[in-house]
Amino acid sequence: MLDDAGVEAVFERFATADPDPDWSPKGPRDPFKTLVGVVLSARTQGVNTEKAARQLFALADTPGALAALPLPEIAARIVPAGLYNQKAKGLKAMAEALVRDHGGRVPGTREGLMDLPGVGRKSADIVLRFALRHPVCAVDTHVFRVSRRLGLAASPTPDKVADELARRTPERFGMGAHLWLFRHGRDVCRGRRPRCVACLLEDLCEKNGVRDAV
DNA sequence: ATCCCGAGGG
DNA sequence: CCCTCTGGAT
């Protein structure tokens, strides 16, 4: 676990490499599409998720339209995402809940989002962060993994890591810190084959040389 | 064989 | 904390 100076050094390094992190997600800004995207993404690689999402949105891109879609139609469109039967049921149930309980609109609070079937803390925060642009430190699997590998946060659950990051990240880095971690986990500090040779933090990393740990 | 933007249940 | 779900790419 890095001390405060170590944490500072990590974010300073990010800030030097990317002074103005204006990165915006490639995915949709529409809350509904973001929501469907995260549900599709479970246990699936990003490329396949995007393909599945495109095919589904061509047929239904609103909660009402999705709720009205027959189950087999949904399943057929999202095959590339894998687990399509299970996910089709989940998506339909989610769409129905949106229509039934939320007037066919995606709720704008964490509580409202988590109230939906198939939506947990991670998915809710991702919608808040990337679609609704709230200053929420969404700790998805990328941010979680990077935080632990680097020693920024040692907590065992994403929830606690979020708290720890919020407490330890110097104020001046703001949400940029979150974007750096997110991107770094996706592109460099990957789960399976981390690209340690391409890592700008290699000398600061506690897991340097361990690679597949955590 | 094993991993992948995760939720829900025990 | 553990486990299951169980498709598709590597």
Side-chain angles (χ1 to χ4, degrees):
Chain A
M1 184 74 161
L2 293 172
D3 58 15
D4 287 349
V7 175
E8 172 82 22
V10 165
F11 284 116
E12 191 59 54
R13 190 74 63 88
F14 275 124
T16 303
D18 188 8
D20 183 24
D22 66 345
W23 173 80
S24 48
K26 296 188 172 74
R29 316 295 189 273
D30 174 7
F32 176 68
K33 291 186 174 181
T34 303
L35 198 46
V36 172
V38 287
V39 171
L40 284 174
S41 76
R43 295 176 69 93
T44 306
Q45 290 185 307
V47 190
N48 307 321
T49 297
E50 286 165 26
K51 185 174 182 185
R54 268 200 311 277
Q55 294 181 352
L56 181 60
F57 293 149
L59 211 57
D61 62 353
T62 64
L66 183 55
L69 214 53
L71 210 46
E73 285 293 319
I74 302 178
R77 297 284 167 155
I78 64 172
V79 166
L83 306 182
Y84 50 84
N85 270 320
Q86 177 185 318
K87 288 176 183 175
K89 285 179 193 164
L91 285 173
K92 190 169 172 65
M94 189 185 78
E96 286 170 349
L98 283 170
V99 171
R100 181 184 349 106
D101 303 329
H102 300 279
R105 323 229 359 125
V106 175
T109 65
R110 179 182 290 152
E111 295 70 31
L113 287 162
M114 288 182 63
D115 197 39
L116 299 167
V119 179
R121 169 70 183 265
K122 289 181 185 172
S123 304
D125 280 358
I126 284 170
V127 172
L128 291 175
R129 176 78 181 95
F130 294 125
L132 303 177
R133 304 303 175 101
H134 291 194
V136 176
C137 183
V139 177
D140 71 334
T141 171
H142 290 317
V143 175
F144 183 64
R145 181 178 60 247
V146 173
S147 300
R148 293 190 42 128
R149 278 187 182 159
L150 282 175
L152 294 173
S155 297
T157 69
D159 216 357
K160 292 184 175 181
V161 163
D163 294 339
E164 207 171 338
L165 280 178
R167 183 162 45 77
R168 302 195 71 198
T169 304
E171 192 72 32
R172 63 197 164 87
F173 296 118
M175 293 312 293
H178 178 247
L179 297 180
W180 290 321
L181 294 180
F182 188 91
R183 250 194 327 195
H184 191 248
R186 187 195 59 188
D187 300 334
V188 180
C189 198
R190 305 180 296 192
R192 179 61 180 151
R193 264 173 54 239
R195 302 170 58 204
C196 293
V197 278
C199 182
L200 77 165
L201 299 167
E202 194 168 12
D203 57 312
L204 299 175
C205 182
E206 289 192 338
K207 299 299 180 188
N208 184 16
V210 178
R211 298 188 171 219
D212 285 317
V214 187

